[in-house]
Amino acid sequence: MDIGDIKKYLEEKGISPSFQRIKILEYLLTHKNHPTVDTIYKELMQLIPTLSKTTVYNTLKSFFEKGIVTVITIEEGEARYDADVSVHGHFKCNKCGEVIDFDAEVKNGYEEFLKGSIIDEKHIYFRGTCKKCAEKS
Ligand SMILES: [Zn+2]
Ligand SMILES: [Zn+2]
């Protein structure tokens, strides 16, 4: 997605595409590192000196409400954001802290248990030691 596409995408989702919002979504789409508010703020403040942490937080909140991002809460007290809203698994490495995507699906069984319930979100979380860190030790 280039800047023009991001702009159109935001408009389609009912969000007015300010420069800051475009840059925040662009960051998420190009980095795919599941950043926290802090990470995005630190990376973008060099580019946008007028940016505040509150703006980043509020932007992500409205992105979430419009289904543009998902919030990953694999770690207590640490919200991370993902512009890939398809259902996929997240693996967090306890050593380096990286959150890695993997293909996964919730399969069979839950429909019966949750009959009559309305599912808003699906999360698949794994934790452990990533390949890179496992090879080092
Ligand atoms: Zn690791
Ligand atoms: Zn992800």
Side-chain angles (χ1 to χ4, degrees), residues 15 18-28 34-65 69 71 79-82:
I15 288 183
S18 70
F19 178 70
Q20 299 188 342
R21 288 178 189 142
I22 290 170
K23 282 294 164 192
I24 290 170
L25 184 54
E26 187 192 39
Y27 181 85
L28 282 164
H34 310 94
T36 60
V37 168
D38 271 359
T39 308
I40 298 175
Y41 173 68
K42 277 183 200 138
E43 290 290 322
L44 291 184
M45 65 184 261
Q46 291 151 27
L47 193 76
I48 317 166
T50 53
L51 190 71
S52 73
K53 218 186 262 189
T54 311
T55 305
V56 177
Y57 177 79
N58 288 337
T59 301
L60 291 166
K61 194 166 170 258
S62 63
F63 282 0
F64 174 70
E65 283 161 7
V69 298
V71 184
R80 288 166 166 262
Y81 295 85
D82 195 346

Side-chain angles (χ1 to χ4, degrees), residues 86-102:
S86 67
V87 177
H88 60 277
H90 289 110
F91 175 90
K92 180 163 183 176
C93 176
N94 289 327
K95 292 225 160 81
C96 66
E98 236 186 280
V99 175
I100 303 156
D101 288 328
F102 64 91

